[in-house]
Amino acid sequence: MKLFSNTVSTLEHALNYSSAKQKVIAQNIANVDTPNYKAKDVSFKAVFQGVMGQSFQANRSDVRHYDFSSRASRLPGAVSNPKVNYNENGNSVDLDKEMADLATNQIYYNALTERINGKFNSLQTVIRGGK
């Protein structure tokens, strides 16, 4: 029996994405004056593929086949563009963009937490018998 709908699982993955994005934005802001630091961003596609890969299991029957094991990184989905420079010291962090991304991510995170809170409140109401 499945206690929670797929919505709770989807919201969980979205919260994980938002958390990873928050960490990457914080790293970018912390390194705004670091020479040759390249700003990072979290790719939704990479995070989605990572989540989909978690439930995928395969056996390698030949050494010439691709390895299906997940390659864990510190921040899943974090990517950078090494060809972009905003400062003369080789740094590619745009503080205005990072602050705007931070605000956008905070709004997204708050919306997710409100939605998952509503799901659990509905479950609590059902458990209490509608009271």
Side-chain angles (χ1 to χ4, degrees), residues 5-69:
S5 66
N6 286 337
T7 305
V8 173
S9 176
T10 302
L11 289 169
E12 177 188 1
H13 292 307
L15 285 168
N16 290 340
Y17 165 76
S18 182
S19 176
K21 188 159 181 76
Q22 179 77 14
K23 289 175 187 175
V24 167
I25 293 169
Q27 285 179 355
N28 289 343
I29 292 172
N31 289 296
V32 70
D33 292 324
T34 304
N36 297 317
Y37 178 81
K38 301 302 178 192
K40 295 180 179 81
D41 194 12
V42 177
S43 167
F44 177 78
K45 181 179 178 183
V47 172
F48 180 73
Q49 288 175 343
V51 168
M52 294 304 291
Q54 288 175 356
S55 62
F56 182 73
Q57 294 182 358
N59 295 323
R60 217 165 75 163
S61 60
D62 191 307
V63 295
R64 295 174 292 178
H65 294 162
Y66 286 111
D67 186 15
F68 289 101
S69 65

Side-chain angles (χ1 to χ4, degrees), residues 3-5 7-8 11 110-131:
L3 181 61
F4 300 111
S5 66
T7 305
V8 173
L11 289 169
N110 288 343
L112 290 170
T113 56
E114 287 293 321
R115 186 66 191 123
I116 202 162
N117 189 26
K119 284 288 191 185
F120 286 125
N121 283 340
S122 297
L123 185 60
Q124 187 177 30
T125 302
V126 169
I127 291 171
R128 289 184 178 168
K131 296 180 184 179

